[in-house]
């Protein structure tokens, strides 16, 4: 299987370069340094890609790899100028930043003596330990993800045989052929009359850049984009968020990376449901945005003993970075912004309460009043954003509320039986540690909020409350289930770090007792055992957590994804014979020849695969005059409405992919598209067969020719 993917390695490397280099250049020019920019660069690269697509389109410049590189350099130069104008940041002195007697962050810092963490656990003595652990975590997560995704996808040019993929694949070809990669205009593909036709374009822009290097295959470029984003960027984002919340714990870093590959509900779940590729991109970047928000609000919101309170200039720079990363979410898919709004409620409320308490204790009335005004403004902005991102499409509930809550807490959403028990246990340990240590209680609340929203979508009674809470996700339980790892991952990493610390303390105490016994009753020397106890405990925890997270629990999920990537499954919209005919379409027809299709049976993909314009680029009802054509072109004669429509639309060919439809039980598309579906050449003189692959046939329109 891997040999089939080998020729596409250059395209994958190109995508990884596009996902990292623009962001690194932007961050470096802005003055950011340190290993964290390696973990966060993709979020800024996606922002660069999205902004570039809009700007180049407005300037009338074709969007491709060369123009994207030029735009990235211009934006990096702009970031350099802004970085020179903004003052340099640092850390403001605060009580929690003052060194404690033991040399750690402070008596109130998480991990200080009495807080329940061994000093070795969160702040390794050697500065290279955490960067090495972070690299291992990202590598382990990437290897596990890529291995499973490649297995599930199968062939490089396979496709998810699902509804949304018709649009996504055609949109990639649209950008390649038209040179327009703007979020403001991408939806003109299906609605060409609109001046502003919004659709988040970042995913399709990224894939379009790989198409020329992937042998002009949109399908292969699309799959490679999935591997790069969900297989490599996702574990890096998870490690960054864990670093922001838990601190420089090697165990937490490795577990975060490995656990990124352990949840069946993301990214695997969205590969089969929809498939929702822009949502995948948005959720992959979301941990970076949340981590930046935590850094902006201050060290009191995480369990990082090395965190310091940023001063005004540092907050300003972090805020600027946060705005750019937020832009990446919008050009990817706004569902990521919705998830951030949910998680942000307990986070910002905690930060506000801490600030208010400090202001009241210090007798700072002006600051207290400002915080009160800020709370009102924040609530208004939150409500405006939430209501703006709502929709009018709804999925029906399918289970009970208690079962929905249980599914969310066990990560067995939407009826999954493959519960990842090791991640459930680690999350439980993390919840315990967060409650005991206090500073991450908001994360527990955020996790429960996401679980509740899933339960409302899966089981809530239809009505205004369910609609208002979940309509931003189309009340789709699959979309909401995919948000759970955002909070579950750092909690699981915190739980692993907590277990390693407790195990280390137990090992050190046991070793001290043994040493004391051998020394003839002298007092045990627990301190002598501590330097080795934590590494041993860490290895033991990782040796259990990492492999077990991949055993059994993902088997059913992988099989589900494989089922939807199969060429000739019971619900396939593009069979292998049909794909073979599409590959011949470029030889059989001329450039620019318009092909009439039934979008419900996969015919619309003639545009994505063969670069031939089609009558519809996505599944939607035909409008006049197309409705006349698709209903009667098979029996059309000169002067008929169908022939008039064919002349107006420039249709010369018909692609008949038979009666296997996207929705198997649907019958209306067979009636509406009767002229281009299941054509009988003997009874339908308006069409002449030109080529056939199995049940897929290409016809030429001949009935409209004059005598």
């Amino acid at each position: 299987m891997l040999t089939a993917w080998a020729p596409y390695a250059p395209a994958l490397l190109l995508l990884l370069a596009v996902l990292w280099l623009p962001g690194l250049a932007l961050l470096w020019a802005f003055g950011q340094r340190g290993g964290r920019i390696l973990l966060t660069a993709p979020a800024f690269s996606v922002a660069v890609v999205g902004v570039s697509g809009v700007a180049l389109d407005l300037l009338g410049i074709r969007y491709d790899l060369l123009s994207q590189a030029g735009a990235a350099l211009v934006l990096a130069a702009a970031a350099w100028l802004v970085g020179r104008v903004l003052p340099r940041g640092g850390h403001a002195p605060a009580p929690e930043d003052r060194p404690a007697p033991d040399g750690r962050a402070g008596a109130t810092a998480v991990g200080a003596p009495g807080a329940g963490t061994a000093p070795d656990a969160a702040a390794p003595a050697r500065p290279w330990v955490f960067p090495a652990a972070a690299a291992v975590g990202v590598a382990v997560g990437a290897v596990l993800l890529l291995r499973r995704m490649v297995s599930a996808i199968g062939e490089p040019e396979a496709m998810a045989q699902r509804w949304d993929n018709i649009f996504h694949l055609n949109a990639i070809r649209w950008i390649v052929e038209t040179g327009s990669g703007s979020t403001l205009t991408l939806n003109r593909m299906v609605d060409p009359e609109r001046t502003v036709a919004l659709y988040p374009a970042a995913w399709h822009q990224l894939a379009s850049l790989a198409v020329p290097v992937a042998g002009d295959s949109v399908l292969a470029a699309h799959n490679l984009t999935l591997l790069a984003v969900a297989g490599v960027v996702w574990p890096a984002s998870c490690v960054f968020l864990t670093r922001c919340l838990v601190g420089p714990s090697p165990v937490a870093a490795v577990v975060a990376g490995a656990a990124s590959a352990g949840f069946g509900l993301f990214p695997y779940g969205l590969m089969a449901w929809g498939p929702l590729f822009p949502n995948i991109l948005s959720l992959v970047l979301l941990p970076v945005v949340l981590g930046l928000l935590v850094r902006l609000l201050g060290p009191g919101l995480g369990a990082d003993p090395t965190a310091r309170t940023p001063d005004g200039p540092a907050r300003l720079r972090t805020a600027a970075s946060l705005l750019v990363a937020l832009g990446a979410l919008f050009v990817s898919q706004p569902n990521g912004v919705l998830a951030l709004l949910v998680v942000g409620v307990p986070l910002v409320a905690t930060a506000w309460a801490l600030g208010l308490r400090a202001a009241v204790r210090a007798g700072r009335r002006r600051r207290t009043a400002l915080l009160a005004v800020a709370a009102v403004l924040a609530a208004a902005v939150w409500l405006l954003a939430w209501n703006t991102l709502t929709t009018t499409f709804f999925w029906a509930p399918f289970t009970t509320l208690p079962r929905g809550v249980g599914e969310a807490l066990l990560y067995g959403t939407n009826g999954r039986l493959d519960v990842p028990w090791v991640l459930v246990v680690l999350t439980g340990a993390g919840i315990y540690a967060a409650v005991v240590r206090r500073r991450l209680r908001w994360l527990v609340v955020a996790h429960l909020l996401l679980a509740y929203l899933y339960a409302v979508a899966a089981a809530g009674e239809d009505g205004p409350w369910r609609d208002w809470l979940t309509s931003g996700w189309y009340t789709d339980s699959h979309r909401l289930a995919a948000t759970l790892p955002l909070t579950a991952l750092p909690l699981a990493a915190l739980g692993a770090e907590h277990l390693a610390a407790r195990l280390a303390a137990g090992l050190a105490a046991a070793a001290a007792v043994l040493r004391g016994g051998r020394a003839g009753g002298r007092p045990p020397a627990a301190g002598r055992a501590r330097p080795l106890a934590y590494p041993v405990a860490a290895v033991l925890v990782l040796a259990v957590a990492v492999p077990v997270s991949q055993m059994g629990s993902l088997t059913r999920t992988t099989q589900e994804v494989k089922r939807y990537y199969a060429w000739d499954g019971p619900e396939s919209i593009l069979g292998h014979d049909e794909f073979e005919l599409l590959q011949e379409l470029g030889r059989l027809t001329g450039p620019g020849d318009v092909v009439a299709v039934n979008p419900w049976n996969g015919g619309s993909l003639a545009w994505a695969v063969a670069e031939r314009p089609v009558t519809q680029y996505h599944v939607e009802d035909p409008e006049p005059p197309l409705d006349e054509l698709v209903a009667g072109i098979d029996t059309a004669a000169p002067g008929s409405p169908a022939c008039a429509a064919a002349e107006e639309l420039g249709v010369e060919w018909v692609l008949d992919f038979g009666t296997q439809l996207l929705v198997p039980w649907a019958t209306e598309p067979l009636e509406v598209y009767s002229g281009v579906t299941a054509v009988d050449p003997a009874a339908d003189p308006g069409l002449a067969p030109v080529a056939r692959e199995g049940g897929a046939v290409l016809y030429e329109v001949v009935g409209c020719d004059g005598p």
Side-chain angles (χ1 to χ4, degrees):
M1 180 181 295
L2 290 178
T3 56
W5 290 83
Y8 298 98
L12 179 61
L13 293 175
L14 171 66
L15 283 166
L16 292 175
V18 172
L19 282 165
W20 255 272
L21 294 182
L24 286 174
L26 194 75
L27 290 167
W28 187 272
F30 191 57
Q32 301 295 318
R33 300 293 185 269
R36 66 181 179 275
I37 67 174
L38 293 172
L39 300 174
T40 61
F44 295 90
S45 292
V46 171
V48 169
V49 167
V51 171
S52 299
V54 172
L56 292 171
D57 190 61
L58 292 174
L59 293 172
I61 300 174
R62 181 178 183 81
Y63 183 82
D64 54 24
L65 187 59
L66 183 60
S67 61
Q68 174 62 75
L73 290 175
V74 171
L75 291 173
W80 183 85
L81 290 174
V82 173
R84 302 289 77 75
V85 172
L86 293 180
R88 293 287 175 179
H91 298 102
E96 62 268 25
D97 294 338
R98 295 170 188 162
D102 65 347
R104 291 175 59 75
T108 60
V110 176
T117 304
D120 310 79
R126 297 176 178 83
W128 55 267
V129 172
F130 177 78
V136 170
V138 173
V140 169
V143 169
L144 294 174
L145 283 159
L146 292 173
R147 172 181 169 274
R148 193 170 296 275
M149 283 194 293
V150 167
S151 173
I153 294 170
E155 303 175 16
E157 289 190 290
M159 60 168 284
Q161 304 280 352
R162 303 288 279 174
W163 183 292
D164 289 14
N165 225 7
I166 298 173
F167 179 90
H168 296 317
L169 294 169
N170 279 337
I172 295 168
R173 176 64 69 186
W174 180 271
I175 295 175
V176 172
E177 297 301 317
T178 66
S180 175
S182 173
T183 292
L184 301 180
T185 59
L186 182 61
N187 218 28
R188 284 182 187 168
M189 181 182 74
V190 296
D191 194 356
E193 302 302 321
R194 294 180 60 182
T195 302
V196 177
L198 286 170
Y199 196 91
W203 175 273
H204 312 90
Q205 289 176 259
L206 288 168
S208 73
L209 297 177
V211 170
V213 188
D216 197 44
S217 172
V218 166
L219 274 67
H222 189 250
N223 287 330
L224 294 169
T225 305
L226 177 62
L227 295 182
V229 170
V232 185
V233 178
W234 171 237
S237 297
C238 293
V239 171
F240 173 74
L241 176 60
T242 300
R243 171 64 180 86
C244 294
L245 295 177
V246 180
S249 166
V251 171
V254 176
V255 168
S260 68
F263 290 93
L265 40 83
F266 185 82
Y268 313 112
L270 295 191
M271 290 171 59
W273 179 256
L276 305 174
F277 296 110
N279 289 66
I280 289 177
L281 178 59
S282 185
L283 292 177
V284 159
L285 303 179
L286 185 54
V288 173
V289 181
L290 180 58
L292 290 173
L293 181 59
V294 170
R295 287 184 175 271
L296 175 67
L297 295 176
L301 300 165
D304 180 7
T306 66
R308 299 292 182 267
T309 303
D311 60 13
R315 287 186 189 273
L316 183 60
R317 285 178 171 266
T318 304
S321 299
L322 178 61
L323 286 175
V324 174
L326 273 173
L329 292 187
F330 276 106
V331 298
S332 300
Q333 223 294 336
N335 272 178
V337 180
L338 275 173
L340 183 67
L341 288 175
V342 174
V343 176
V345 169
L347 171 61
V348 175
T350 301
W352 181 84
L354 291 174
L356 182 65
R357 184 176 64 180
V360 170
R361 286 181 176 178
R364 301 175 65 176
R365 294 183 179 179
R366 182 178 178 183
R367 183 174 180 83
T368 301
L370 288 175
L371 284 170
V373 173
V376 174
L377 291 176
V381 171
W382 190 95
L383 286 170
L384 177 62
W386 186 267
N387 292 327
T388 300
L389 295 174
T390 57
T391 65
T392 57
F393 184 86
F394 303 101
W395 288 89
F398 57 87
T399 187
T400 63
L401 192 62
R403 182 179 177 85
V405 173
E407 287 183 351
L409 295 179
L410 296 178
Y411 314 125
T413 55
N414 297 292
R416 284 185 173 88
L417 300 178
D418 46 350
V419 174
W421 287 109
V422 67
L423 297 179
V424 172
V425 171
L426 290 178
T427 304
I431 290 173
Y432 170 81
V435 171
V436 170
R437 302 180 189 186
R438 298 185 178 182
R439 287 199 176 188
L440 277 176
R441 289 179 177 179
W442 68 265
L443 184 62
V444 177
V445 175
H447 185 63
L448 296 177
L449 282 175
L450 292 177
Y452 173 70
L453 287 178
Y454 164 80
V456 169
E461 182 179 351
D462 282 330
W465 178 244
R466 179 175 185 259
D467 296 347
W468 185 75
L469 281 178
T470 63
S471 64
W473 289 272
Y474 305 93
T475 62
D476 181 2
S477 59
H478 293 81
R479 285 175 168 88
L480 280 159
T483 65
L484 290 170
L486 175 66
T487 49
L489 270 163
L491 283 172
L494 177 64
E497 183 265 332
H498 177 77
L499 292 176
R502 294 300 88 213
L503 180 58
L507 291 174
V513 169
L514 291 174
R515 216 180 250 115
R518 288 196 300 268
R522 289 200 300 259
R528 296 180 184 177
R530 188 179 296 277
L532 289 177
Y534 183 74
V536 172
V539 170
L540 290 174
V541 170
L542 294 176
V544 173
V546 174
V548 174
S549 69
Q550 297 294 306
M551 291 181 181
S553 64
L554 294 176
T555 301
R556 187 178 177 186
T557 295
T558 305
Q559 292 172 347
E560 182 79 358
V561 177
K562 283 184 176 181
R563 182 166 74 91
Y564 285 115
Y565 274 85
W567 279 113
D568 297 302
E571 300 178 17
S572 297
I573 56 174
L574 189 67
H576 203 273
D577 289 340
E578 295 165 348
F579 180 64
E580 293 292 333
L581 182 59
L582 290 182
Q583 290 183 309
E584 291 294 315
L585 206 58
R587 178 180 61 83
L588 298 170
T589 64
D593 286 358
V594 180
V595 182
V597 298
N598 179 348
W600 290 85
N601 63 14
S604 294
L605 290 168
W607 172 244
V609 177
E611 307 171 39
R612 292 299 180 260
V614 293
T615 48
Q616 288 175 279
Y617 293 92
H618 195 29
V619 179
E620 54 190 349
D621 294 331
E623 297 182 357
L626 180 60
D627 57 342
E628 296 282 0
L629 186 150
V630 297
I633 194 63
D634 55 335
T635 58
S640 65
C643 285
E647 182 177 359
E648 180 178 344
L649 298 172
V651 172
E652 301 178 34
W653 309 90
V654 168
L655 200 58
D656 182 3
F657 279 177
T659 59
Q660 180 164 320
L661 304 181
L662 182 64
V663 181
W665 58 86
T667 58
E668 184 179 355
L670 297 178
E671 300 170 2
V672 173
Y673 293 89
S674 59
V676 296
T677 306
V679 173
D680 182 0
D684 299 329
L687 301 176
V690 175
R692 178 186 297 270
E693 288 285 346
V697 188
L698 174 68
Y699 293 96
E700 184 178 7
V701 177
V702 295
C704 297
D705 298 339

